[in-house]
Amino acid sequence: MRVGAFILAAQFPGQGQGEALHRAVRSAEVAEEAGLDDVWLAEHHFVPYGVCPNAVTLAALLLGRTRRIGVGTAVSVLPTQHPVALGEQAALLHLTSDGRFTLGVGRGGPWIDLEVFGSGLAAYDHGFPESLDLLMRWLREPRVGAQGERYAFREVAVVPRPAEALTDPDGSGPPGPPVVVACTSPSSVRTAAERGLPMLLGMHCGDEEKAEMVALWRSAALEAGRDGDEVAAAGHVSAGVVQLADSRRAAAETLTKAMPGWLQQGLGAHVTVDGRYRAMRDPLAYTELLCRLHPVGPPQLCTDRLAATSERTGITRFALLVEGSGDLAATEENVRRLGTEVLPQLG
């Protein structure tokens, strides 16, 4: 089982943006010290829900600050970026970190980001598969050209080629950085499955829904002709929330005191590109739901909760939001307790 910290660089009420970013960086450093397997970095634009606008850039910083831990994006929003540019960045981090980087990509939302970056609503509505396919070709092939609806260019060399420098002497080895795809709907599950790419499943989902998505992914992957061994070994990632305390009540209180204010200002700041209405979750109710779904409580409860999720879903990789208290010292303690009091019990 691989357990990682999910870091949003969340800006809680009364905090500055630099404070949120400092907490994000420090959380990752403590995660390595505490023995966690990975850190996962989110990106958002123009909202205090998360003040990291480029997860790959922050990943580069953290790969330089650490020596062992895996660093991944959760996720890099593909419709607002050129897939070749993102592929070049991913290749660079893959090669210079000795394979510690994982690229997570997603479709994002119909936010004003699409207007600001000039990609337009079409990139969100139906352009994701084309972008994903071009990205994967860039990460796996020596030369790439494109003749698609959105991207068209003559063939060029892939430099640096991510599959080259880390291969074994016999020519085998990693084919480039691992890629995971954020999935929130049957359509996105099928998009990932047809390409044999593992899923990143959101923290709003419970075990039953995640198990259903894994089953759908497996079925769609096999129907698309993916190899059975490849399907069985898919490393899906389950996002969640973790808060350690000596009692479940104390852990839940920590989150219900801090998270609703952050969610209210963070989610409420999103603006749609076309003015469509987007209902916002009730911040307190959503926080309480997250407390019920995820490892929130004393170490044994958290251990049992992670083991139960793994058993019910078949997922063995976790990206757990560690900064729900909004406080730097409390977040550091939370990460340390996760590493020293929960991970050893998971084997």
Side-chain angles (χ1 to χ4, degrees):
M1 192 175 294
R2 291 185 66 93
V3 177
F6 183 26
I7 298 172
L8 279 79
Q11 183 183 4
F12 286 73
Q15 293 181 351
Q17 295 166 2
E19 183 178 354
L21 289 168
H22 173 70
R23 188 180 63 245
V25 172
R26 184 61 189 143
S27 297
E29 293 172 335
V30 174
E32 173 158 89
E33 295 168 4
L36 272 65
D37 297 294
D38 304 287
V39 294
W40 296 90
L41 309 170
E43 73 178 31
H44 298 87
H45 297 282
F46 323 126
V47 293
Y49 184 75
V51 300
C52 170
N54 192 302
V56 171
T57 299
L58 185 55
L61 171 72
L62 295 178
L63 286 166
R65 293 274 186 100
T66 58
R67 293 292 176 267
R68 173 196 58 81
I69 199 166
V71 179
T73 62
V75 292
S76 297
V77 181
L78 198 47
T80 59
Q81 303 183 59
H82 196 296
V84 170
L86 183 59
E88 288 182 324
Q89 294 167 16
L92 185 63
L93 295 188
H94 173 67
L95 295 172
T96 56
S97 69
D98 292 327
R100 288 194 291 134
F101 177 69
T102 297
L103 178 63
V105 296
R107 182 173 169 232
W111 311 126
I112 198 170
D113 313 10
L114 298 166
E115 175 185 321
V116 173
F117 295 110
S119 48
L121 190 57
Y124 168 78
D125 282 340
H126 61 265
F128 183 71
E130 179 189 346
S131 294
L132 180 60
D133 287 340
L134 178 53
L135 171 68
M136 294 309 301
R137 289 180 58 210
W138 192 267
L139 293 176
R140 303 295 186 253
E141 299 176 10
R143 296 183 64 85
V144 174
Q147 294 297 326
E149 179 181 342
R150 187 177 178 201
Y151 300 105
F153 54 88
R154 72 188 73 177
E155 188 177 273
V156 294
V158 174
V159 180
R161 188 181 174 197
E164 209 168 75
L166 297 183
T167 54
D168 297 326
D170 63 358
S172 64
V179 177
V180 300
V181 179
C183 294
T184 58
S185 67
S187 175
S188 57
V189 172
R190 292 189 184 94
T191 296
E194 290 166 358
R195 293 155 179 81
L197 297 173
M199 300 180 292
L200 171 67
L201 300 179
M203 60 186 181
H204 60 284
C205 301
D207 290 350
E208 182 176 352
E209 184 175 354
K210 287 179 178 176
E212 291 173 354
M213 296 176 81
V214 169
L216 174 60
W217 186 96
R218 184 181 301 114
S219 175
L222 292 172
E223 288 177 7
R226 311 304 304 189
D227 179 81
D229 291 338
E230 175 190 9
V231 171
H236 304 305
V237 183
S238 174
V241 175
V242 65
Q243 187 63 45
L244 276 294
D246 293 335
S247 71
R248 188 180 186 284
R249 179 177 179 179
E253 283 184 352
T254 295
L255 298 185
T256 54
K257 286 180 179 178
M259 287 183 66
W262 159 58
L263 291 169
Q264 180 72 44
Q265 75 169 14
L267 296 177
H270 281 89
V271 176
T272 56
V273 67
D274 57 357
R276 73 179 75 177
Y277 175 71
R278 299 280 288 190
M280 188 177 77
R281 292 175 179 269
D282 176 84
L284 178 58
Y286 185 37
T287 302
E288 291 172 341
L289 171 66
L290 295 175
C291 289
R292 293 194 299 271
L293 292 178
H294 300 299
V296 175
Q300 190 60 57
L301 182 151
C302 293
T303 302
D304 293 344
R305 190 70 190 81
L306 289 171
T309 294
S310 183
E311 182 177 353
R312 292 167 185 159
T313 66
I315 298 173
T316 58
R317 301 169 72 192
F318 293 88
L320 303 175
L321 179 71
V322 295
E323 58 189 326
S325 67
D327 178 78
L328 175 58
T331 298
E332 289 187 11
E333 180 185 9
N334 193 36
V335 173
R336 289 195 177 94
R337 294 193 69 174
L338 177 62
T340 59
E341 300 179 44
V342 174
L343 261 59
Q345 298 188 67
L346 293 171

